[in-house]
Amino acid sequence: MDTVIVNGSLITGDGITFLEKASVRIRGTKIVDVTPYQATSSEGELIIDAGGSVVLPGIINAHAHGCIAGPSMPSGSLPLSTEDISYQRNRHLLSGTTTLLNVCGLATPDEIGSGALGPHALDVQISTAHTPSSIGAARVSDGSGLSTHHLSATIDDMLARGAKALGEAGGGQTLGGGAQDYRYVPQAIEQATGVTIHPKIARLFKEAVLGRRLDGAAAASNDGLEALLNQYALNGHLTAAQLRGIVVETVMPPVHLAMRGLSEIAAQSERFGMAAIFHNAAPTAATLVQLAEAYPRARMIAGHSNHPMFLPEEAVTTARLLKNRGVTIDVSTLDCITTRWRNGPENLDLLATEGLIDTLSTDYAGGDWDTILSAIQRMIAKKQMPAPRAVALATGNVAKAIPELAGDRGLIEKNKQADIVICDAHNLARVRHVIAKGRIVVENGRIL
């Protein structure tokens, strides 16, 4: 039977259209009609009354981690547990995401639903970063989740088997990013001292030793490091020289290989004409600009362009340079919208205000990611952009950037896949119902 959504406002996902009252008719897995008024219904049809709500396309998250049973992160680390993967998938679905691209990069398509995971209403797909240097960087930084079939895989093979994009080229583990702050540097310091430090302190230590670009620029002197150690009550546990050694030995070994991996992924993107997602942060920004010029036919996406290693003005300057060279500018919620344990919203806010954002994702942030709709609600509430444009960042714009992933969805229009979210009209982050492939999968905030 048909499902008809009535009595709600509608944002179609094209970046422009808002209908005060509209109806959407679903038949099977497709949208078969959209009308700017309340449609009449027939006996036997399923009616969803969206009064007081806004109807949106299902969210498309094209930069996420932790949702498959294969090697996690660009470091090729061990997979999350089945329970944690299920938890991550459920969180995404309950927050309105119906399509997700897991960009750890070194898993294989058979690991999307392997083991005890089973089927899920969230449509999870994978990307591939199986180039020699990317695999080499993973093995140097961790590699504990990589087996022979991961190490022998190629991009040609992964694309033939259904990978939807290339990347993530580089990562926080291999390029001195967030994973070094919340995992590797704190672990190394705890192993050396027995003291647990907050990720924000780890980031301060990392940048004091290496600089924000990992090039030693503006690095602190030994006296400066001693002052930092004293400030955070570690002066009795570490000397400046010991701290310097820990940070360098933890962060730097995979960096050269990971940087070379960026070039390999860009070349493969131009070769295949496939979208490629890159780790965009202070250490990689200049390289990404050079690659955009060297590979003009590559379909580059600058991931998490609000990365905390950027100062706000640097994030804007980098985004402009890349955007002017045809690169898609993606920003990620990280934990900077409502959680704010490690990161704040300053970079995202400025990029939104300057009109530089093309797409919006979550990334991972150690599992503390905030929802995409919470970021969209923030942009609307702060008047950084109108609601249709904000919603398009995670729907129609993503479908245009990666049609291999979502070309048949992302818009509420006739013949598109019926992926639909029904949200509170006064706060889009409050999700009531989710429809995936024409089927109600979340009803009144509960997974069916």
Side-chain angles (χ1 to χ4, degrees), residues 115-433:
L117 283 173
H120 198 280
L122 178 67
D123 183 3
V124 179
Q125 301 293 331
I126 66 161
S127 61
T128 171
H130 292 86
T131 70
S133 296
S134 299
I135 292 172
R139 298 183 75 176
V140 169
S141 64
D142 189 336
S144 55
L146 299 173
S147 62
T148 302
H149 81 281
H150 301 116
L151 297 172
S152 61
T154 65
I155 282 180
D156 299 64
D157 179 38
M158 291 300 99
L159 292 178
R161 292 173 60 187
K164 303 300 182 185
L166 309 182
E168 179 182 4
Q173 305 80 4
T174 60
L175 283 166
Q180 289 289 349
D181 304 338
Y182 66 72
R183 182 177 178 186
Y184 292 103
V185 171
Q187 282 179 352
I189 288 176
E190 184 171 8
Q191 185 175 4
T193 67
V195 177
T196 302
I197 63 171
H198 192 281
K200 287 184 178 179
I201 299 172
R203 183 184 298 163
L204 285 175
F205 288 164
K206 177 191 72 181
E207 294 183 356
V209 171
L210 299 171
R212 286 183 298 104
R213 295 179 180 83
L214 308 184
D215 59 0
S221 64
N222 280 350
D223 287 344
L225 292 182
E226 293 286 0
L228 270 179
L229 288 168
N230 184 60
Q231 181 179 350
Y232 294 105
L234 283 169
N235 53 317
H237 299 274
L238 288 173
T239 66
Q242 288 171 329
L243 175 63
R244 195 181 300 278
I246 286 172
V247 170
V248 170
E249 291 167 14
T250 302
V251 175
M252 294 306 294
V255 169
H256 175 69
L257 283 166
M259 292 294 287
R260 196 160 66 194
L262 302 180
S263 299
E264 292 172 351
I265 296 290
Q268 295 289 350
S269 176
E270 185 163 89
R271 174 186 170 214
F272 284 104
M274 293 291 289
I277 296 143
F278 292 81
H279 180 87
N280 184 25
T284 63
T287 298
L288 295 189
V289 172
Q290 294 169 2
L291 291 175
E293 294 172 346
Y295 298 98
R297 294 187 301 279
R299 291 167 52 198
M300 294 177 61
I301 298 173
H304 46 60
S305 293
N306 56 318
H307 196 280
M309 292 181 83
F310 285 124
L311 299 176
E313 296 76 13
E314 289 176 329
V316 166
T317 299
T318 299
R320 284 203 176 105
L321 288 170
L322 292 170
K323 199 175 179 75
N324 288 341
R325 289 158 176 79
V327 177
T328 297
I329 305 302
D330 179 72
V331 301
S332 293
T333 60
L334 304 171
D335 61 346
C336 73
I337 308 300
T338 56
T339 304
R340 300 193 193 179
W341 190 51
R342 289 178 293 272
N343 302 299
E346 297 80 11
N347 290 0
L348 187 148
D349 282 344
L350 190 56
L351 287 164
T353 299
E354 295 295 320
L356 292 168
I357 302 173
D358 296 313
T359 60
L360 177 61
S361 61
T362 58
D363 202 349
Y364 190 63
D368 289 312
W369 53 269
D370 291 323
T371 71
I372 287 174
L373 282 171
S374 70
I376 288 172
Q377 177 63 29
R378 178 181 177 85
M379 293 173 187
I380 296 167
K382 291 179 69 67
K383 302 187 186 305
Q384 293 167 339
M385 62 185 74
R389 184 174 157 202
V391 167
L393 299 179
T395 56
N397 289 13
V398 188
K400 289 178 183 176
I402 316 179
E404 297 86 353
L405 171 70
D408 62 345
R409 61 201 78 172
L411 297 172
I412 297 181
E413 64 178 34
K414 189 174 180 179
N415 295 325
K416 290 293 185 181
Q417 181 165 293
D419 289 355
I420 292 173
V421 181
I422 301 175
C423 309
D424 189 313
H426 302 136
N427 183 351
L428 299 188
R430 289 203 289 259
V431 174
R432 183 157 187 171
H433 307 304

Side-chain angles (χ1 to χ4, degrees), residues 64-103:
H65 298 274
C67 290
I68 58 171
S72 64
M73 308 299 164
S75 54
S77 303
L78 289 171
L80 274 64
S81 68
T82 298
E83 291 78 10
D84 284 343
I85 295 167
S86 296
Y87 172 59
Q88 295 297 328
R89 290 181 173 189
N90 290 345
R91 283 182 63 201
H92 284 290
L93 186 67
L94 287 165
S95 63
T97 296
T98 52
T99 302
L100 180 143
L101 185 65
N102 196 101
V103 300

